[in-house]
Amino acid sequence: MEFKVIAEYFDKLEKISSRLQLTALLADLLSKTDKSVIDKVVYIIQGKLWPDFLGYPELGIGEKFLIKAISIATNTEEKEVESAFKIIGDLGEVARRLKSKQQSSSILGFLGSSKAESLKVDEVYSTLSKIALTIGEGSRDLKIRLLAGLLRKADPLEAKFLVRFVEGRLRVGIGDATVLDALALSFGGGQASSEIIERAYNLRADLGNIAKILAERGIEELKTLKPEPGIPIRPMLAERLSDPEEILKKVGGKALVDYKYDGERAQIHKKGDKIYIFSRRLENITSQYPDVIDYINSYIEGNDFIIEGEIVAVDPDSGEMRPFQELMHRKRKSDIHEAIKEYPVNVFLFDLMYYDNTDYTVKPLEIRRKMLESIVKPNDKIKIAHHIITDNVDTLMTFFYQAISEGAEGVMVKSINKDSIYQAGARGWLWIKFKRDYQSEMADTVDLVVVGAFYGKGKRGGKLSSLLMAAYNPATDTFESVCKVASGFSDEQLDELQKKLLEIKRETKHPRVNSKMIPDIWVEPVYVAEIMGAEITLSPLHTCCQDMIVRGAGLSVRFPRFIRWRDDKSPEDATTTNEILEMYNKQIKKKTDTSSSTENI
Ligand code: ATP
């Protein structure tokens, strides 16, 4: 397959403005793609060479070396490339123009033939992989040479997108859900197959792998797909409620109640003698936890399994649980062995999804838990999450306060009904989180996506200092604006913000963003921040749940305040518009309940 086909589609994708067109174009590209390279094409579309969970290196070519490669490939002085870059501001476009100039002055160009030999997807992919995997002494020169070789063979449009890819700027705004929809359109025979494809992707969060199976073996094959150790499962997520009685009712009366630990979620895979640990965001964090690997090897039985738990920092002297921030300190340390000593961790296991060729995601919680208990030799490093089974509100509350006093955030109340499967990739009522109440009407913080930014005034003049934040609507795969947040940033965070935002600046609104408010700059929807506010209110300025409560108004967070970045969440993991609606409805109910009880007094 020729790389030119992909470049031409990227060129078209850049110019469209709606999610629907995006999916249709993508479906068109995928149906024209050779089955043998469809996995690679899917990764390239997402601006990567392989799924993040593999933890392989990135290309490692900075701007300076990219300029060098363009200069070699187009026989242009480096200075000339640099000054063109200063004027145009986009290296991809610079490469395109230089290639066109070169082409029109060459004899081949004169004869009307663009180039002797066309670039194939396989060649592009294998050369780029080689560039990424070349490390150590002398690797820089080799990387530049390899890239220059590719660019030399590329036509102007191919060069533009190759350069953008290497820069990590090939963000044509395509999320996983868009690719899934496009796959359903091109191979699954339409929307009816969406559910099957989505289920497969939830069990194996590797879009390339799913695309390849679908293209080569068809939709039937996906129906029976099992999890595969080494490929992360999309995590099961919890709903939230703050009334214990309601919580027990919602899960069917009787529940398994776990401590809700304040650490890092870890999905632990064992495949023969290999162990992998994936984060909440499914990134490969194996190398950060050699101590956890030792615990798994020593205290868990089995050859192939996928289990889940929370890694929690503990006090090295007392063994008591420490807050999540301590784990962050550990991550910042460059010497991992020192970090292990200074910030030791415990692992609290709470689920088992796969064991020796058996898919446990389809089995009820109690069976999963029993199996987990049977393979773990608990000790002071690794154990099963502290839990009870109860149908009594008072018992639940006592356990909740005990959890908080021991440093947990609250409890996770889990259904033990016969249908209490592991709902990969879904947020549902089978798990309900019950956290300590905050000093505000809002029962919890929200995690929102930055979609634009505004310049400040006065002391903050000239600096981007407030952010337009959006919630995720999975039904439409779009980001709907919720609030403008201007407080809560430290000076340091504000400084860092400038660079962070300008790197992802866009000329126009992203096709997946839905906003009435027009910020000073639009950005790619990539960063997620945790936001606290006073309450959820109706607002005509925002599009979240637009018209759902009152015509002309959406929902917004009042007095929003930045708490911290949530780098462990992808934009699609942000709080959903539906959750905001639920939070709003809960508030209304609470207000009505309180006012009627005061009336009685
Ligand atoms: P979410 O993961 O629901 O999107 P979040 O990342 O903001 O939200 P929380 O609101 O803190 O996280 O609640 C869910 C998280 O709680 C899980 O992702 C997991 O990391 C953590 N957790 C701690 N203890 C448990 C437990 N016993 N069972 C399940 N999850 C637990």
Side-chain angles (χ1 to χ4, degrees):
M1 179 181 178
E2 291 190 5
F3 185 65
K4 196 182 178 66
V5 181
I6 300 186
E8 282 167 355
Y9 271 92
F10 280 157
D11 194 41
K12 286 188 217 163
L13 284 168
E14 230 184 13
K15 295 173 185 126
I16 57 161
S17 59
S18 89
R19 161 72 162 64
L20 222 61
Q21 287 171 308
L22 192 75
T23 318
L25 258 181
L26 205 60
D28 207 28
L29 166 61
L30 290 173
S31 49
K32 286 194 183 130
T33 298
D34 284 355
K35 290 180 177 147
S36 61
V37 291
I38 193 160
D39 46 349
K40 294 171 184 162
V41 173
V42 165
Y43 300 136
I44 293 175
I45 285 171
Q46 296 206 299
K48 43 186 152 189
L49 285 171
W50 28 64
D52 298 334
F53 67 78
L54 289 178
Y56 289 173
E58 294 190 7
L59 281 154
I61 297 189
E63 200 172 273
K64 214 167 111 206
F65 302 117
L66 196 47
I67 289 176
K68 209 176 185 108
I70 298 173
S71 136
I72 298 172
T74 59
N75 295 326
T76 315
E77 290 282 326
E78 260 178 69
K79 270 194 198 133
E80 210 180 305
V81 181
E82 265 166 30
S83 54
F85 178 41
K86 273 197 190 116
I87 298 165
I88 302 169
D90 171 358
L91 264 182
E93 184 55 26
V94 171
R96 190 190 67 77
R97 290 192 198 178
L98 288 174
K99 285 294 295 190
S100 306
K101 197 167 126 196
Q102 190 187 29
Q103 216 176 51
S104 55
S105 60
S106 75
I107 300 177
L108 281 175
F110 179 69
L111 294 175
S113 151
S114 58
K115 53 184 176 149
E117 189 193 334
S118 65
L119 262 184
K120 298 282 187 292
V121 173
D122 262 329
E123 182 183 358
V124 171
Y125 187 86
S126 66
T127 312
L128 290 175
S129 308
K130 210 172 189 177
I131 294 175
L133 297 172
T134 303
I135 43 170
E137 221 177 297
S139 64
R140 213 175 51 197
D141 289 344
L142 183 58
K143 279 175 191 272
I144 295 173
R145 251 186 300 137
L146 285 167
L147 181 62
L150 265 189
L151 288 174
R152 198 173 284 130
K153 285 191 191 170
D155 73 10
L157 202 61
E158 289 170 339
K160 171 174 171 170
F161 289 105
L162 270 175
V163 167
R164 287 247 181 108
F165 185 89
V166 173
E167 267 189 307
R169 292 194 54 186
L170 195 78
R171 277 180 289 245
V172 269
I174 299 170
D176 291 0
T178 322
V179 178
L180 288 172
D181 284 352
L183 281 173
L185 280 179
S186 46
F187 296 102
Q191 283 306 323
S193 59
S194 287
E195 242 172 66
I196 301 165
I197 299 177
E198 206 180 311
R199 176 194 164 269
Y201 172 64
N202 285 336
L203 293 181
R204 287 191 196 179
D206 179 347
L207 273 180
N209 180 282
I210 300 296
K212 189 131 191 182
I213 296 174
L214 184 60
E216 286 184 344
R217 290 183 258 158
I219 191 89
E220 284 304 312
E221 187 74 21
L222 284 189
K223 281 189 188 161
T224 52
L225 205 75
K226 281 191 215 166
E228 165 85 20
I231 304 181
I233 296 178
R234 297 188 67 225
M236 172 165 179
L237 303 171
E239 285 286 352
R240 55 164 81 78
L241 276 180
S242 50
D243 174 356
E245 210 162 318
E246 199 181 344
I247 294 179
L248 281 182
K249 215 183 273 165
K250 198 91 188 176
V251 291
K254 197 168 176 184
L256 184 147
V257 186
D258 271 341
Y259 272 17
K260 183 180 188 308
Y261 296 96
D262 186 14
E264 175 163 34
R265 187 170 189 158
Q267 201 181 100
I268 303 165
H269 290 226
K270 183 157 190 245
K271 188 178 185 175
D273 53 9
K274 274 201 150 344
I275 290 177
Y276 310 89
I277 307 179
F278 301 114
S279 68
R280 156 82 169 75
R281 215 184 152 161
L282 308 186
E283 279 158 347
N284 193 316
I285 49 171
T286 315
S287 63
Q288 295 171 17
Y289 293 110
D291 41 352
V292 174
I293 306 281
D294 283 345
Y295 307 157
I296 307 286
N297 274 323
S298 315
Y299 305 116
I300 302 190
E301 269 171 39
N303 273 328
D304 291 343
F305 57 73
I306 304 177
I307 56 179
E308 200 171 35
E310 191 89 351
I311 299 180
V312 184
V314 291
D315 187 291
D317 301 320
S318 66
E320 276 174 21
M321 287 195 279
R322 310 291 308 144
F324 172 74
Q325 281 76 3
E326 295 273 313
L327 265 188
M328 292 296 112
H329 292 315
R330 164 168 164 151
K331 281 174 182 271
R332 276 192 213 110
K333 286 229 150 212
S334 51
D335 182 341
I336 181 71
H337 297 287
E338 217 176 277
I340 290 176
K341 266 196 231 139
E342 215 173 312
Y343 301 102
V345 295
N346 281 0
V347 186
F348 297 95
L349 297 167
F350 55 75
D351 226 311
L352 175 143
M353 293 89 103
Y354 180 91
Y355 195 83
D356 280 350
N357 219 13
T358 306
D359 178 2
Y360 273 80
T361 62
V362 289
K363 299 186 189 286
L365 176 61
E366 281 188 302
I367 292 189
R368 304 203 302 275
R369 224 6 120 81
K370 270 207 185 97
M371 187 65 198
L372 182 65
E373 280 167 6
S374 75
I375 62 167
V376 179
K377 282 183 248 158
N379 58 85
D380 62 344
K381 299 289 180 205
I382 186 162
K383 52 194 118 192
I384 308 286
H386 192 40
H387 61 280
I388 51 168
I389 291 182
T390 188
D391 57 2
N392 182 290
V393 177
D394 293 338
T395 316
L396 169 60
M397 280 317 287
T398 312
F399 192 65
F400 171 77
Y401 288 120
Q402 181 191 328
I404 287 178
S405 69
E406 285 187 31
E409 279 187 300
V411 292
M412 294 289 278
V413 183
K414 300 179 176 178
S415 162
I416 47 174
N417 284 344
K418 62 178 187 333
D419 61 354
S420 58
I421 56 165
Y422 186 93
Q423 280 180 320
R427 191 182 295 284
W429 294 103
L430 291 177
W431 286 8
I432 303 178
K433 51 191 175 193
F434 178 28
K435 295 206 236 180
R436 198 175 15 182
D437 252 348
Y438 293 88
Q439 295 302 309
S440 121
E441 288 284 331
M442 265 169 74
D444 198 357
T445 53
V446 283
D447 298 320
L448 301 175
V449 184
V450 186
V451 295
F454 301 82
Y455 287 102
K457 299 193 181 74
K459 210 176 90 202
R460 290 182 175 179
K463 263 192 181 176
L464 291 165
S465 52
S466 45
L467 305 177
L468 181 60
M469 308 297 301
Y472 181 55
N473 182 341
T476 52
D477 187 31
T478 54
F479 300 98
E480 301 179 355
S481 86
V482 173
C483 62
K484 191 174 151 185
V485 57
S487 69
F489 305 105
S490 65
D491 288 347
E492 214 182 355
Q493 280 165 334
L494 261 188
D495 285 343
E496 183 197 78
L497 198 65
Q498 310 305 308
K499 194 168 164 272
K500 217 172 160 121
L501 293 179
L502 291 176
E503 271 172 9
I504 52 163
K505 183 178 164 190
R506 295 176 50 93
E507 291 311 315
T508 52
K509 185 182 73 58
H510 193 281
R512 289 168 69 208
V513 168
N514 178 359
S515 168
K516 286 195 244 176
M517 205 176 252
I518 299 176
D520 293 331
I521 68 159
W522 292 107
V523 296
E524 306 283 345
V526 287
Y527 292 124
V528 180
E530 184 172 351
I531 304 292
M532 189 54 186
E535 60 177 332
I536 311 277
T537 54
L538 284 165
S539 161
L541 301 175
H542 293 283
T543 54
C544 172
C545 302
Q546 167 91 27
D547 298 333
M548 286 173 73
I549 298 145
V550 173
R551 191 186 288 268
L555 287 176
S556 177
V557 171
R558 199 161 145 251
F559 301 136
R561 186 163 36 88
F562 173 88
I563 306 285
R564 61 181 171 126
W565 291 111
R566 287 295 308 253
D567 294 331
D568 59 330
K569 285 200 164 183
S570 74
E572 289 80 10
D573 294 327
T575 302
T576 61
T577 49
N578 227 345
E579 286 179 273
I580 297 205
L581 180 64
E582 271 164 22
M583 287 169 90
Y584 175 78
N585 287 336
K586 279 267 127 58
Q587 250 174 230
I588 298 282
K589 188 171 171 283
K590 207 162 147 192
K591 276 185 188 159
T592 334
D593 289 353
T594 348
S595 58
S596 57
S597 59
T598 16
E599 272 161 29
N600 290 340
I601 300 167

